[in-house]
Amino acid sequence: MSNLSIKNLKLNLIWPYLVIIVIAFVYALPQLNVRGIYVGADSSFHFNRAFEAMSRLKYLNFHNSQISLYGFNASGRIINALYGPGLGYFFGVVLLLTKSWLKFQLVTNFILTVGTISLSYWLFNKYSRQKFLSLVFAVILSLTSYWSIGYWYQSAGGMTWGMMFMPLVIDSGIRMHINQQRPVGSIRLGFIMALILETHMLSFLFSFIVLAAFFITGLLVNKNRWLLIKQTTIAGLIGLGLTLGYWADYFSIMRTQSILSPFVDLHPANVVVHLSQGLSLWLLVLAIVLIVALRGRLAIFEWVLFICGITFLIFASGPNILLNHWNDIIVFRIIQFPMRFALPGCYLVSLLVILLLSQMIKQLPLKRSYVFAIGLGLLLIASTTIKQQFLSNMTVNQRFWQNSDFVASRFYGPRRDMDTKLTVQKDLQSRNSGFEKTIRAINFWSPDYLPGKGLVYYNDDNEKAVQAELISPNVFKKHISKKGDLIVTWNQSKAYTTKVPIIVYKQSKLVINGHNVKPQTTINGVLKVNGNQGKNIVVLGIKMPIIVKIAKLSPVIILIVISIMVAVNKKNTDLDVIETFLN
C-alpha cells in the first residue's frame, strides 16, 4: 500500500473526530469572548468538590479522606466520598493545573463536549458503518438537547459526565446478543461500570438497567448462555472489586445514621420532556416510520433498543399517572426530575434509528450523495435548535457580569446581602497565587448528605441551618494540622455553649480542648461545645472501621491480578478496549 493510500485511510478514520474537536472549540467561543463563568444550580456543589480534591492533591493530604477539609466551608461534611469520588479527583487535577475557575470550565467543557460527541459517533458508526450519518446523529443528540452537554454548561449538572459513557454500556449490551463466542468482555465491562460509578451514581443505575435488559434478552438469543452468565458474573466481580472502597464508605456511613437526601421537588411536572416536540418527537417519528418500512423485521437487540428507549422517554415525559405519585416512590423522589430519564432514552432510540436507516440504505440501495443529502437535511432541521442552545450558552455566560444578584444567589443563597453581590464576581475571577482565596465566595448551602431525619424541601429549616450555622459564622479560624486533621479555634469572653461550624457523623473523631469527648450536636450534626473563657480548640478527624481501610486496597489487588493475567496470557485476554474502539 502506497504512502498516499495510508494517509487517505488515516484521514478517513480521523476526520469525524477532527470535526468534533472543531465543534468543541466553537462552543468555547462564547466563554472566551465574554470571559464570564457559567453559574448554575449545581456550580457551587461541583466547585467545592473540585477545590477539595485539588487541595488534597496539592498538599498530598489523603488523611481523613471521607470528610471535607478544604471545600464546603472546611466543615467536615462527607460529600466527595458519596458522590462520584473519581470525577471529583478528575476535577481536582484540572483545577490544580489551571488555577482559575474560568480555565477550569473551559477545559472541562472542552473534554465533555469532545468525549460525549466522540463516544456517540463511535457507537453509531460501529453498528451502522455510515460515518457521515453517525456524525450527524452524534452532533444532533449532543447539541440539540439541554439535557445533554448543555446541562453541564448552564447548570453544572453532573449527570452529563456519567451519561457520556452510555455508548460503551449499550455496546456491551449489544455484544451479549451478537457475539456467540465472547458475549462479554469481562475486564472491559467491569472497568466501564466502575468508571461510571466513580463518576455519577444515577448514571450507574441507568447503565445497570440497560445492561440488565440486554442480559435477560441475551439469555434467550445467545446459544452460549452459561458463558454469558459466567463472563457477566466475572465482570460484576471486577467492577465490585474496583469500587469496593466506594461501597465500603457508602454503607459504613449510610447504615449507621440517618443521612439527608437531596431536596424533594414538589413540582416534577415543571421538569419533564415533552414527547410532542424537539429531539424526542423526531426520534420517535423516525423510529416508528422505519420500523413500519422494514415491516417490523428487527433483531431482538433492536427491539430492546426500541422498547427500553421508549420506556425511558415515557418516564421523562412525566405522564399524570406517574406524576401524581412521583414523590411517594422513593426511587423517583431521589431522582428528583423526570427529565433525567431523557438522555438514556435518546441514546437508545438514536442508535436504533441510525441502524434502521443504514439497513434502508443497503436495501434500496442509495448512492453516497443521497446519504449525504439525508444527513445534511437532518442537520438543517436541527440547526435552529442547535443555534438556540448555542445562544442560550452565551446568554448564561453573559449573566455572570450582568446579574450579580443571580450569581450571589447561587453561591450565598437567600441570605446574600449587597456586599456579596458586589464582590462575588471579583472573588471568582482571582487566579494563580490568589486562587485559593476564591473558595470563600463559593458556598454550598444545600443540606445534602448531612445527618438528619425526614425529607428536605427548598429553603426549609435544613437549608437555613446550613446558611446560619456553617456559612455565616466568621469568628472561627480553621486550618489543617500536619497530621491532616481539621483544627478549629476561637475565643470566648466567657464560658457558654456555642455551635462550631463543623459537621459530626457517627464516625467523626473529636478532641475538644485537649479532651476526647462524646460530642453534642444539632439535628443536622453541627457540633455544640461548652466553650471555655479564652481560647478554644477543636480537632476533627474521622475513624472508619478496619474493613473499610482494607476495602480501599481492593482496586490495587484487582489491577495487579489483571496485569499478571494479561502478562501471562496476552493472546487470550479479553482486554480489548483498543481493538473495540478501532473496530
Side-chain angles (χ1 to χ4, degrees):
M1 186 179 290
S2 66
N3 290 335
L4 182 60
S5 298
I6 294 174
K7 288 181 180 179
N8 289 336
L9 178 61
K10 289 181 178 179
L11 182 61
N12 189 47
L13 288 173
I14 68 172
W15 73 261
Y17 298 102
L18 296 177
V19 172
I20 292 168
I21 290 172
V22 170
I23 291 172
F25 275 117
V26 171
Y27 264 66
L29 290 178
Q31 192 168 24
L32 287 170
N33 180 48
V34 177
R35 311 299 290 182
I37 294 172
Y38 287 105
V39 176
D42 291 332
S43 294
S44 63
F45 178 67
H46 288 292
F47 279 15
N48 272 283
R49 275 170 34 81
F51 190 87
E52 173 71 22
M54 179 212 71
S55 300
R56 287 187 175 276
L57 291 168
K58 179 177 180 179
Y59 299 112
L60 298 178
N61 178 16
F62 302 104
H63 188 57
N64 299 315
S65 62
Q66 290 82 8
I67 62 177
S68 301
L69 301 178
Y70 304 93
F72 299 100
N73 304 99
S75 60
R77 295 178 67 172
I78 298 177
I79 292 184
N80 271 6
L82 300 177
Y83 185 103
L87 181 62
Y89 274 102
F90 167 73
F91 287 162
V93 171
V94 174
L95 195 58
L96 184 63
L97 296 174
T98 57
K99 296 182 176 64
S100 159
W101 292 115
L102 175 64
K103 293 178 182 178
F104 169 80
Q105 286 194 332
L106 284 168
V107 171
T108 54
N109 291 352
F110 181 83
I111 292 172
L112 178 69
T113 304
V114 171
T116 298
I117 304 177
S118 295
L119 286 174
S120 299
Y121 162 76
W122 166 80
L123 176 70
F124 298 159
N125 184 56
K126 177 177 180 178
Y127 290 99
S128 71
R129 296 301 179 186
Q130 295 287 339
K131 282 186 171 58
F132 183 66
L133 279 182
S134 297
L135 182 60
V136 167
F137 271 83
V139 168
I140 291 175
L141 174 63
S142 303
L143 303 186
T144 59
S145 173
Y146 165 77
W147 306 118
S148 185
I149 63 173
Y151 189 31
W152 172 255
Y153 275 67
Q154 298 184 27
S155 297
M159 181 177 174
T160 309
W161 287 92
M163 293 307 301
M164 176 172 67
F165 302 110
M166 180 57 76
L168 301 177
V169 175
I170 297 173
D171 173 58
S172 298
I174 294 175
R175 178 173 172 171
M176 294 177 179
H177 282 239
I178 65 177
N179 194 325
Q180 299 291 326
Q181 300 303 316
R182 295 171 63 199
V184 177
S186 299
I187 298 176
R188 178 177 182 270
L189 181 56
F191 271 87
I192 290 170
M193 295 304 287
L195 179 62
I196 296 174
L197 179 62
E198 289 284 341
T199 301
H200 190 255
M201 171 65 93
L202 181 57
S203 298
F204 175 81
L205 175 61
F206 286 159
S207 299
F208 181 83
I209 292 171
V210 170
L211 278 178
F214 279 108
F215 175 76
I216 293 170
T217 51
L219 290 175
L220 301 176
V221 300
N222 197 307
K223 296 178 181 178
N224 289 326
R225 294 179 180 85
W226 286 112
L227 182 61
L228 172 59
I229 294 172
K230 174 187 172 182
Q231 292 181 339
T232 303
T233 302
I234 294 173
L237 292 174
I238 291 173
L240 177 62
L242 291 171
T243 57
L244 194 59
Y246 170 84
W247 290 116
D249 281 339
Y250 183 87
F251 286 111
S252 176
I253 294 164
M254 301 296 285
R255 290 178 64 86
T256 54
Q257 59 216 300
S258 177
I259 298 292
L260 295 177
S261 298
F263 76 92
V264 176
D265 182 20
L266 295 176
H267 306 286
N270 294 339
V271 277
V272 300
V273 173
H274 299 287
L275 298 183
S276 59
Q277 61 189 40
L279 178 62
S280 302
L281 172 64
W282 283 103
L283 288 176
L284 291 176
V285 169
L286 285 172
I288 293 171
V289 168
L290 289 169
I291 289 173
V292 172
L294 292 169
R295 300 178 183 177
R297 294 194 294 267
L298 274 65
I300 297 296
F301 80 85
E302 291 174 327
W303 282 114
V304 174
L305 290 172
F306 180 68
I307 295 171
C308 286
I310 293 294
T311 302
F312 273 110
L313 290 175
I314 289 174
F315 280 124
S317 69
N320 287 332
I321 191 172
L322 189 61
L323 291 178
N324 291 338
H325 304 283
W326 185 266
N327 288 322
D328 298 327
I329 304 171
I330 187 169
V331 174
F332 292 152
R333 188 169 67 237
I334 293 174
I335 290 174
Q336 293 179 297
F337 315 126
M339 63 81 190
R340 285 182 166 156
F341 286 94
L343 201 50
C346 288
Y347 269 116
L348 293 162
V349 181
S350 293
L351 177 58
L352 173 68
V353 169
I354 194 169
L355 279 172
L356 300 184
L357 267 177
S358 66
Q359 292 178 35
M360 290 284 292
I361 291 168
K362 291 176 183 177
Q363 288 183 13
L364 290 177
L366 293 179
K367 295 181 180 179
R368 182 176 297 182
S369 59
Y370 293 162
V371 177
F372 180 81
I374 292 172
L376 186 60
L378 291 172
L379 272 180
L380 289 174
I381 292 172
S383 61
T384 302
T385 306
I386 293 175
K387 179 183 177 181
Q388 289 174 347
Q389 286 295 322
F390 183 82
L391 294 177
S392 179
N393 287 349
M394 183 177 293
T395 300
V396 171
N397 200 249
Q398 289 173 336
R399 189 165 54 188
F400 179 77
W401 298 113
Q402 297 173 351
N403 192 339
S404 60
D405 183 66
F406 173 81
V407 175
S409 72
R410 293 306 183 191
F411 293 123
Y412 286 93
R415 295 175 65 86
R416 62 193 181 278
D417 53 31
M418 186 56 66
D419 289 337
T420 61
K421 295 177 188 179
L422 295 174
T423 62
V424 64
Q425 288 102 331
K426 181 180 178 180
D427 287 340
L428 290 173
Q429 285 290 298
S430 299
R431 56 184 180 177
N432 298 328
S433 60
F435 172 69
E436 293 195 27
K437 296 179 182 178
T438 62
I439 197 64
R440 66 188 180 188
I442 305 172
N443 299 286
F444 178 63
W445 42 272
S446 294
D448 300 18
Y449 309 118
L450 288 181
K453 297 181 180 180
L455 303 177
V456 176
Y457 300 92
Y458 178 74
N459 203 28
D460 66 359
D461 290 340
N462 294 296
E463 286 195 356
K464 292 175 182 177
V466 173
Q467 296 159 23
E469 298 170 0
L470 293 182
I471 297 175
S472 295
N474 54 16
V475 300
F476 299 88
K477 295 181 180 180
K478 299 178 180 179
H479 69 276
I480 309 302
S481 69
K482 291 182 179 180
K483 184 181 176 182
D485 292 325
L486 178 62
I487 310 295
V488 184
T489 61
W490 73 99
N491 287 286
Q492 295 185 187
S493 58
K494 60 181 181 179
Y496 59 87
T497 300
T498 188
K499 294 178 183 178
V500 182
I502 56 176
I503 298 299
V504 177
Y505 296 85
K506 292 286 187 183
Q507 294 78 10
S508 296
K509 184 175 61 176
L510 281 165
V511 178
I512 301 176
N513 291 326
H515 302 286
N516 294 308
V517 298
K518 184 177 181 180
Q520 294 180 313
T521 66
T522 67
I523 191 172
N524 291 126
V526 177
L527 178 65
K528 294 195 293 185
V529 172
N530 296 318
N532 301 325
Q533 182 178 4
K535 186 176 182 179
N536 292 267
I537 302 176
V538 169
V539 180
L540 175 67
I542 191 166
K543 184 177 182 180
M544 302 297 287
I546 188 65
I547 191 67
V548 174
K549 298 178 181 179
I550 295 174
K552 297 289 185 181
L553 300 175
S554 177
V556 177
I557 296 172
I558 293 292
L559 291 173
I560 292 174
V561 171
I562 290 174
S563 298
I564 293 173
M565 290 171 59
V566 171
V568 170
N569 196 359
K570 290 182 179 180
K571 292 183 179 180
N572 295 328
T573 181
D574 66 349
L575 187 60
D576 54 359
V577 177
I578 296 176
E579 178 187 346
T580 303
F581 271 84
L582 291 177
N583 294 332

